[in-house]
Amino acid sequence: MIWKTKTHEYSATVCQRTGKTCPALARLARSISEAMTQASAATGDAFEFDGSSELSHCAEGCQAIFQAQSDSVRVFCDTQPNAAIEDLNLYADLIFGNTFRTLPSGIIANPPCAMIEVATLRPRKTVHAPEQLSA
């Protein structure tokens, strides 16, 4: 599922347990995105952080890990807190990316039951078209 706000674009997979998008996952991603937006004024574009959280509003009680950068946030549900974020990002690139990529089999033995990617929308620059010349 894909949706947008004025500042972010959200892309989420459905939960493999419920067959629906996870509202708890969306709330966590939104909160992290808002925190990154506020922090970027003081930290700059190089700031990033990662961590883990239990999704307390999830009926299944998922453990999620996340990585937040100035331009994007990714959250992975039902993963081990010590899972390699680099490998999960490679997997997410396959799911959310728009280019052909391959991934060695077995690199993700237990794929996340749900994922979300939040991309920061940059303001568009106004481009003025030159006036047409009449003949």
Side-chain angles (χ1 to χ4, degrees):
M1 173 181 230
I2 299 172
W3 69 97
K4 285 185 181 181
T5 65
K6 291 180 180 179
T7 57
H8 295 90
E9 179 179 81
Y10 295 77
S11 302
T13 64
V14 296
C15 175
Q16 298 303 301
R17 294 179 183 159
T18 65
K20 302 175 185 176
T21 55
C22 177
L25 175 60
R27 281 193 295 271
L28 176 61
R30 184 185 67 231
S31 296
I32 295 169
S33 297
E34 289 172 356
M36 283 301 291
T37 299
Q38 291 181 5
S40 66
T43 59
D45 287 341
F47 179 69
E48 66 179 55
F49 70 97
D50 54 47
S52 64
S53 177
E54 184 174 336
L55 296 177
S56 58
H57 290 91
C58 177
E60 302 294 329
C62 279
Q63 181 74 23
I65 63 172
F66 59 85
Q67 182 176 48
Q69 299 172 330
S70 63
D71 61 346
S72 68
V73 172
R74 283 184 173 166
V75 184
F76 306 93
C77 287
D78 196 27
T79 56
Q80 298 299 318
N82 59 354
I85 195 77
E86 297 84 12
D87 292 344
L88 290 170
N89 276 320
L90 289 173
Y91 182 71
D93 288 343
L94 289 174
I95 303 297
F96 298 124
N98 57 5
T99 59
F100 178 76
R101 301 187 78 157
T102 59
L103 189 64
S105 65
I107 196 165
I108 301 292
N110 296 316
C113 72
M115 301 183 296
I116 192 167
E117 177 179 70
V118 184
T120 302
L121 298 175
R122 301 290 179 203
R124 292 184 183 176
K125 293 183 180 181
T126 305
V127 177
H128 297 284
E131 294 183 30
Q132 289 184 330
L133 300 174
S134 52

